[in-house]
């Protein structure tokens, strides 16, 4: 036993889960049941993930859903051949588009805040990001998209689906394949489907190993 690590109890539920159950039962799955994704479930997973919080409600995340065999095969190539891409019924590409966010700030101001709120959001975004270059503010946008990436995995698990988060791919090849602008940054690829393997039980630091209490 490695000191400071914990191994979670094994559970294999298949139905809907609470957040705690989704966290407990999520594990990276790289082999999926070979059946098309239920489109209503897919939409619900995306909807739940879109409820993630972000600074100033910026919602910089964008999703590209790949289900076509042909595009999946090309995506797999861009991910250095990692087979879980082609094996999954759907792959959600999660990226941030900070330039789109900045060009459409009016959409994110909460209507309850009225005209004053809209003005505040416009000014804030202009003051904070106007002086930054595209790469710098893109990095900020990515930090927000990463939150939605986490939500997406748990949303999928809560509906009985499994995923594997992936950063092992060539970002430029994925931009080219999906026709995405140069400035977008990737939170990751997320193959989704029903598990056809058990995956590995959690192997994690203990709370004591990673936490200081003051
Ligand atoms: C940001 C990120 C990138 C990852 N990239 C890959 C990847 O490219 N290929 C892969 O097979 N697994 C990838 N993983 C999965 C990790 O190996 C896995 O999450 C980790 O070992 C913990 O295992 P678990 O997810 O089963 O709990 C990635 C995970 C994260 C969070």
């Amino acid at each position: 036993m490695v000191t400071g690590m914990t191994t979670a109890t094994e559970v294999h539920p298949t139905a809907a889960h609470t957040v705690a159950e989704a966290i407990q039962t999520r594990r990276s799955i790289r082999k999926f049941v070979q059946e098309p994704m239920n489109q209503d479930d897919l939409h619900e997973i995306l909807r739940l993930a879109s409820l993630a919080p972000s600074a100033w409600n910026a919602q910089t995340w964008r999703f590209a859903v790949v289900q076509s065999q042909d595009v999946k095969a090309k995506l797999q190539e861009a991910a250095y051949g990692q087979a879980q891409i082609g094996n999954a019924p759907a792959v959600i590409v999660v990226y941030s588009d900070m330039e789109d966010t900045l060009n459409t700030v009016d959409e994110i101001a909460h209507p309850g805040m009225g005209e004053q709120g809209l003005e505040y959001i416009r000014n804030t975004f202009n003051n904070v990001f106007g002086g930054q270059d595209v790469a710098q503010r893109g990095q900020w946008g990515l930090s927000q998209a990463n939150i939605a990436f986490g939500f997406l995995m748990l949303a999928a698990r809560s509906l009985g689906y499994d995923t594997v988060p992936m950063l092992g791919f060539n970002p430029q090849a994925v931009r080219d394949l999906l026709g995405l602008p140069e400035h977008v940054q990737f939170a990751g690829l997320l193959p989704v489907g029903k598990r056809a393997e058990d995956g590995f039980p959690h192997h994690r630091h203990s709370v004591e190993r990673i936490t200081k209490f003051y």
Side-chain angles (χ1 to χ4, degrees):
M1 180 87 180
V2 181
T3 319
M5 294 285 184
T6 53
T7 302
T9 321
E10 278 193 55
V11 212
H12 295 277
T14 50
H17 304 302
T18 64
V19 174
E21 286 168 350
I23 291 172
Q24 184 73 28
T25 62
R26 187 215 59 80
R27 50 176 64 177
S28 289
I29 292 297
R30 298 175 179 84
K31 287 208 174 83
F32 299 92
V33 174
Q34 298 302 297
E35 63 185 15
M37 189 76 193
N38 177 299
Q39 299 301 296
D40 290 339
D41 288 350
L42 177 61
H43 192 276
E44 180 62 359
I45 289 166
L46 295 166
R47 190 190 71 81
L48 289 170
S50 76
L51 299 180
S54 52
W56 293 303
N57 201 30
Q59 304 168 70
T60 58
W61 45 77
R62 301 290 182 268
F63 307 127
V65 181
V66 179
Q67 297 180 87
S68 126
Q69 293 298 348
D70 176 50
V71 183
K72 258 195 288 171
K74 289 178 178 143
L75 196 57
Q76 182 169 328
E77 236 173 82
Y80 313 114
Q82 294 194 73
Q84 59 268 32
I85 301 249
N87 193 263
V91 181
I92 304 173
V93 180
V94 184
Y95 62 98
S96 73
D97 191 337
M98 189 60 184
E99 297 309 298
D100 183 36
T101 300
L102 292 175
N103 289 330
T104 55
V105 282
D106 285 14
E107 290 176 17
I108 60 181
H110 198 288
M113 292 164 74
E115 189 59 34
Q116 236 182 340
L118 187 58
E119 222 25 59
Y120 168 78
I121 289 286
R122 282 183 192 142
N123 290 336
T124 304
F125 275 67
N126 202 29
N127 293 339
V128 176
F129 300 112
Q132 295 184 7
D133 63 33
V134 169
Q136 197 181 0
R137 61 198 188 203
Q139 198 55 41
W140 185 90
L142 178 60
S143 69
Q144 309 302 312
N146 284 326
I147 301 170
F149 195 51
F151 268 51
L152 205 46
M153 288 180 241
L154 296 184
R157 185 82 278 271
S158 76
L159 296 185
Y161 289 90
D162 285 287
T163 58
V164 51
M166 295 178 64
L167 272 181
F169 60 91
N170 176 338
Q172 194 51 49
V174 176
R175 282 189 201 98
D176 292 345
L177 174 65
L178 302 177
L180 301 174
E182 292 291 311
H183 59 255
V184 309
Q185 301 207 25
F186 295 96
L189 309 181
L190 196 70
V192 187
K194 298 272 182 179
R195 67 176 71 178
E197 64 172 7
D198 287 341
F200 294 101
H202 290 140
H203 176 62
R204 295 295 195 271
H205 289 305
S206 68
V207 171
E208 291 67 30
R209 165 74 178 79
I210 58 169
T211 312
K212 291 186 201 310
F213 293 95
Y214 296 92

